[in-house]
Amino acid sequence: MRIFKSIWIAALLLCFTVVKAQETNRSAEEALIRATIMNYIEGTANGEPDKLKKTFHPDFNLYTVDDDNRMLARSGEKYISNVQEGKKANRLGRIISVDHEGNAATAKAEIIVPGWRVFTDYFLLLKYEGSWKIVQKSYTWRDYLDADQPTDQNRSVDSLFSEFDRADHPAVAALVIHKGEVIYKKAMGSAQLDNQIPATTSTKFQLGGMSKHFTAFATLLLEEKGKLSLTDDIRNHLSYLPEYEHTITINHLLTLSSGLPDFWTLKNIAGWHRDDVLTQAHVREIVSKLTPAFTPGDDYTYSNTDHWLLAEIIAKISGQSFPEFMKQEVFNPLEMENTLVVDDFEQYIPNAAASYEPVRNGGFKRSALNYGINGPTNVYASIDDLLKWEMNLLEPKIGSTKLVNKLYEACLLNNGNTMDPAFGRITYGQQLIHKERGVPKAYQTGTLGGYSSSIFKFMEDEFTVIVLSSGIPYNGYLGMQSAYLFIEDQFTEPARTNFAELKTLKLSEKQLKKYESIYWNERSGYSREIAVENDTLRYVRTDGRASSLLPVEKDKFQMMIGGDEKIFVSFSDNKEAKTMAFTQGEASPIQFESITPISASANELNNLVGIYYCESLNTVYELSVENNKLVASNMKAGKVIFNPILEGVFESNSWFFPRIQFKEDKSGFHLNSEEVRYLFFRRLDTIN
């Protein structure tokens, strides 16, 4: 049995090695094919007949059909004879697509001759004697129109993206749609830096959090087909889930109001590193032990758990895996040939941009993406296919107009209130409604590994801009700056606040000091300090970053920040409490209450020292005292340093471990954050 197992493992390793080798060879061959096509394009544009001779097979022929429906043929020799050495032609060319198998390949390119024609070339290539040759070309054309000439806006967008339009930069793709028409579409950079394989508009990118939009659509599609009801108890579909005190419905998942904590944050609390493998089975094990932090529908949490469960329910109802369902019911009918859902992080994805991240000394490194998680992530799509998707939303072929409208409806809580966090009003389609310089927009972003994606939709202007990238930490600013170029006249407010011209009140240092305090937000479990420095009121965050506050009205200040966002901080002081409200744009205010921070004596800190265990995560943290600070340590997660803020309450600047609150009898503590509420750690013993 042991021998058989060893042979089986060896066979798997051999298969893996062969697949990897095939993948590398395929990428290298595509690069050679593209080089051959570019030699053709550059040879004709720059007057280089010798380059063309090396590109073409001696028996090469060109074919087309004329206006009288007759086939015309021309020999390669005659074609080359028309190219004069050193005489450049006014023509622009680009490769649209390449496909190959073995020693045969096809390719497509577009050649623009300004003022005359736009040609579409179709190539047949063969590899023999070690190199690729064009053996046949067929082509068609249309008259050149002014629309073929780049507009001033297009040139400006090109300039905006110019730093990425080089072979040593990871892939970037952009799409701009206005009133149902494509006004800009381009790919740049390299999909694979190792071989400098150029990105194209058919190159696939991981969408990250933008995948939730497709999961929501699929859920509503099954509702429309009568396969599920949004009022269904999720346990009716997923029997492995525990029995909850209150029913969680599919609607609660769609509206992010289930109360279930975010599994992504939980894995960090449990000590998993960013590059650790995370599979569907891992998440199922975590989620099967979770309980809601509040009555479903009473509140909301921006949790990846909800959309992971939606994908599980879709798979159970359809009898297919989630990737199979999306392919069969959504992507294939829309001919989205370069879009798929991936549930195996080791799966080979053809024509995909590799994941990179910038390094400090310049250049890039590969960014591991060891996640096989459906629902909240793992849709790979090209910019060409996202165009098809957006066209479907304008004139639905899959799903109805009613379904599409539902995607942009605001999610509601049990009390009828909308969900309005600082970054925008949450919709069923997981895009956020917000105002940009006075103009309503729906937007969504996603980041995972080295991938970044964003979409901004100005519905009233029927304007959409999408940016995908594989080596930029955040690309949303590129989308917004593109929007400013095309619909600048629609914005009712300036791009940036001119703080030098902002009308402000004149307040003395004494008047400013009345606002000084530490302010505490109970919901999210973090504090902010308001302090006066050099006659200016300052908003100080936990990590020490500070922003100036300028008085614009009585008890109301505007924060000095870059960009076009407006943030106001307002204060009130009544008999009950001294409070602060933080308002970003049109979002609901985040409320803070003034507190007097406490200090903890050495004896009080020592009484908290011990081993604490979280049953739902099967994770242990050791609490100790170092340099008069309470420290939580985990072998994999490292150390988190806490400061006392209230009696029994400590906060840190860790994003996944921001606040802990001890029970009165010191038998354990609850961990609280925006994504995870009331996660209990039970005390096991005390260290002497």
Side-chain angles (χ1 to χ4, degrees):
M1 183 65 182
R2 184 175 298 172
I3 294 174
F4 173 76
K5 183 176 181 181
S6 299
I7 294 173
W8 180 71
I9 292 173
L12 281 179
L13 290 173
L14 178 61
C15 289
F16 177 75
T17 303
V18 170
V19 169
K20 284 295 182 183
Q22 290 173 341
E23 178 181 337
T24 302
N25 290 339
R26 188 172 182 85
S27 298
E29 291 300 325
E30 184 169 325
L32 293 172
I33 296 166
R34 288 180 175 275
T36 299
I37 301 298
M38 287 307 300
N39 283 338
Y40 155 75
I41 292 173
E42 293 170 359
T44 53
N46 298 326
E48 298 176 283
D50 288 342
K51 180 178 283 189
L52 290 177
K53 289 176 183 177
K54 294 177 182 178
T55 300
F56 296 142
H57 183 275
D59 296 328
F60 162 77
N61 286 307
L62 299 86
Y63 299 91
T64 191
V65 176
D66 67 12
D67 293 335
D68 296 324
N69 202 30
R70 295 175 302 179
M71 189 182 81
L72 301 179
R74 184 162 46 146
S75 70
E77 183 179 357
K78 185 173 182 180
Y79 178 80
I80 295 172
S81 68
N82 290 328
V83 178
Q84 298 179 28
E85 181 71 40
K87 185 176 181 180
K88 295 189 176 183
N90 183 19
R91 51 195 288 143
L92 306 171
R94 67 186 182 98
I95 299 173
I96 297 174
S97 65
V98 171
D99 188 23
H100 75 96
E101 189 68 42
N103 294 325
T106 59
K108 179 180 177 182
E110 182 180 71
I111 309 296
I112 299 177
V113 183
W116 185 40
R117 288 174 176 172
V118 178
F119 293 88
T120 303
D121 291 348
Y122 300 87
F123 302 94
L124 174 63
L125 301 94
L126 292 175
K127 184 180 181 182
Y128 68 100
E129 297 179 354
S131 61
W132 288 93
K133 300 288 186 182
I134 300 172
V135 298
Q136 182 177 299
K137 186 188 88 169
S138 59
Y139 64 97
T140 185
W141 71 82
R142 57 184 168 85
D143 289 336
Y144 176 89
L145 302 173
D146 289 340
D148 297 312
Q149 179 68 26
T151 64
D152 290 340
Q153 292 99 328
N154 283 34
R155 291 191 186 95
S156 297
V157 175
D158 277 337
S159 177
L160 178 64
F161 285 91
S162 61
E163 65 178 295
F164 315 120
D165 196 3
R166 62 181 200 266
D168 63 348
H169 193 282
V172 178
L175 170 69
V176 180
I177 308 168
H178 193 205
K179 298 187 184 301
E181 297 291 332
V182 177
I183 56 176
Y184 187 87
K185 186 174 68 166
K186 186 174 182 179
M188 58 214 80
S190 290
Q192 303 279 344
L193 287 180
D194 294 346
N195 301 309
Q196 294 196 342
I197 298 174
T200 71
T201 54
S202 64
T203 298
K204 302 181 186 72
F205 295 79
Q206 158 78 256
L207 300 187
M210 275 176 56
S211 304
K212 295 175 183 175
H213 178 71
F214 292 94
T215 306
F217 180 91
T219 305
L220 295 175
L221 186 64
L222 283 180
E223 182 203 23
E224 187 168 79
K225 293 183 176 183
K227 303 292 186 180
L228 62 79
S229 169
L230 298 189
T231 59
D232 286 351
D233 183 340
I234 63 174
R235 294 185 70 253
N236 292 344
H237 301 291
L238 304 176
S239 59
Y240 62 81
L241 294 175
E243 188 170 346
Y244 305 117
E245 182 179 355
H246 301 282
T247 298
I248 298 177
T249 67
I250 292 176
N251 189 69
H252 290 139
L253 300 180
L254 263 179
T255 57
L256 301 174
S257 62
S258 71
L260 294 171
D262 175 44
F263 71 79
W264 217 282
T265 306
L266 291 173
K267 83 178 183 67
N268 286 275
I269 296 170
W272 295 37
H273 293 168
R274 188 188 74 164
D275 295 341
D276 287 343
V277 171
L278 185 68
T279 66
Q280 292 283 100
H282 288 137
V283 177
R284 187 175 294 113
E285 183 177 357
I286 294 172
V287 172
S288 65
K289 298 176 182 178
L290 302 181
T291 56
F294 49 79
T295 301
D298 280 359
D299 204 345
Y300 64 92
T301 300
Y302 211 70
S303 172
N304 289 289
T305 301
D306 290 339
H307 280 74
W308 182 84
L309 285 168
L310 286 174
E312 288 280 279
I313 290 171
I314 291 167
K316 183 63 182 296
I317 291 174
S318 67
Q320 302 171 288
S321 70
F322 183 67
E324 289 169 345
F325 174 85
M326 294 301 294
K327 179 180 180 180
Q328 180 176 312
E329 299 296 329
V330 181
F331 303 144
N332 280 357
L334 294 177
E335 298 182 354
M336 296 172 69
E337 299 172 353
N338 287 295
T339 302
L340 75 163
V341 180
V342 176
D343 60 0
D344 181 351
F345 71 95
E346 292 182 312
Q347 177 179 338
Y348 169 65
I349 308 170
N351 194 28
S355 172
Y356 299 95
E357 60 182 275
V359 293
R360 289 185 177 180
N361 61 348
F364 298 88
K365 67 177 182 179
R366 288 296 293 264
S367 178
L369 202 63
N370 300 331
Y371 314 129
I373 309 305
N374 291 335
T377 62
N378 276 26
V379 171
Y380 283 77
S382 69
I383 208 76
D384 281 339
D385 280 1
L386 291 182
L387 169 60
K388 295 175 183 177
W389 176 253
E390 289 300 314
M391 293 300 104
N392 182 67
L393 297 182
L394 290 174
E395 296 183 9
K397 297 178 182 176
I398 305 299
S400 64
T401 300
K402 181 180 179 182
L403 187 161
V404 172
N405 291 339
K406 180 80 170 180
L407 294 173
Y408 300 103
E409 283 185 17
C411 298
L412 300 177
L413 296 171
N414 290 336
N415 60 9
N417 290 344
T418 55
M419 305 174 188
D420 301 331
F423 40 83
R425 179 167 294 169
I426 300 172
T427 67
Y428 272 91
Q430 302 311 294
Q431 292 180 348
L432 301 158
I433 302 297
H434 195 48
K435 271 197 174 180
E436 187 74 30
R437 294 172 53 191
V439 181
K441 73 176 182 188
Y443 79 100
Q444 191 178 25
T445 62
T447 56
L448 196 64
Y451 297 103
S452 181
S453 59
S454 63
I455 179 170
F456 294 87
K457 306 182 72 163
F458 294 86
M459 291 80 70
E460 293 179 358
D461 295 286
E462 299 179 59
F463 183 90
T464 298
V465 55
I466 303 172
V467 180
L468 307 177
S469 59
S470 63
I472 306 174
Y474 170 70
N475 66 33
Y477 72 97
L478 294 166
M480 282 313 310
Q481 290 182 36
S482 299
Y484 297 157
L485 291 170
F486 285 101
I487 55 172
E488 173 65 28
D489 294 343
Q490 303 304 313
F491 295 106
T492 60
E493 299 174 6
R496 297 176 184 273
T497 300
N498 187 337
F499 289 104
E501 297 181 358
L502 187 67
K503 185 178 292 187
T504 61
L505 304 178
K506 183 69 174 177
L507 298 181
S508 66
E509 184 174 347
K510 180 180 179 181
Q511 290 173 307
L512 292 174
K513 277 189 172 293
K514 75 174 185 176
Y515 302 111
E516 284 191 320
S517 184
I518 301 295
Y519 293 85
W520 172 255
N521 178 260
E522 175 65 26
R523 173 194 168 104
S524 298
Y526 64 87
S527 65
R528 293 290 184 260
E529 180 182 2
I530 301 297
V532 177
E533 181 181 341
N534 298 327
D535 298 327
T536 301
L537 203 62
R538 306 269 283 172
Y539 179 94
V540 186
R541 298 163 184 84
T542 310
D543 59 6
R545 292 180 299 114
S547 299
S548 298
L549 299 175
L550 303 181
V552 291
E553 296 178 19
K554 184 179 183 300
D555 298 327
K556 184 177 181 179
F557 295 74
Q558 184 169 344
M559 185 179 293
M560 288 187 67
I561 57 169
D564 62 338
E565 194 67 80
K566 288 186 177 180
I567 297 178
F568 294 98
V569 177
S570 304
F571 300 91
S572 65
D573 191 357
N574 52 48
K575 294 181 181 180
E576 295 181 359
K578 182 178 178 180
T579 62
M580 176 182 76
F582 176 100
T583 308
Q584 181 172 335
E586 294 190 327
S588 298
I590 301 174
Q591 300 292 342
F592 293 80
E593 185 172 333
S594 174
I595 61 170
T596 302
I598 65 168
S599 59
S601 67
N603 185 55
E604 289 172 322
L605 292 178
N606 285 327
N607 285 336
L608 301 176
V609 168
I611 304 295
Y612 293 78
Y613 173 67
C614 177
E615 184 176 359
S616 61
L617 294 181
N618 191 26
T619 298
V620 169
Y621 274 82
E622 178 183 342
L623 264 59
S624 60
V625 178
E626 297 180 15
N627 300 321
N628 298 318
K629 298 280 189 180
L630 188 66
V631 177
S633 303
N634 176 281
M635 183 177 295
K636 292 193 69 178
K639 294 183 177 182
V640 181
I641 301 173
F642 292 95
N643 291 305
I645 191 75
L646 294 169
E647 184 67 36
V649 180
F650 292 74
E651 72 169 345
S652 79
N653 62 1
S654 166
W655 72 270
F656 65 86
F657 220 119
R659 181 188 69 160
I660 55 176
Q661 182 168 358
F662 289 89
K663 294 174 69 75
E664 287 188 17
D665 60 4
K666 306 299 186 291
S667 61
F669 65 80
H670 285 97
L671 182 151
N672 279 294
S673 69
E674 184 65 35
E675 296 82 12
V676 176
R677 316 251 187 102
Y678 315 118
L679 184 67
F680 185 62
F681 283 75
R682 175 169 54 88
R683 189 170 187 168
L684 298 181
D685 62 2
T686 302
I687 299 176
N688 295 319

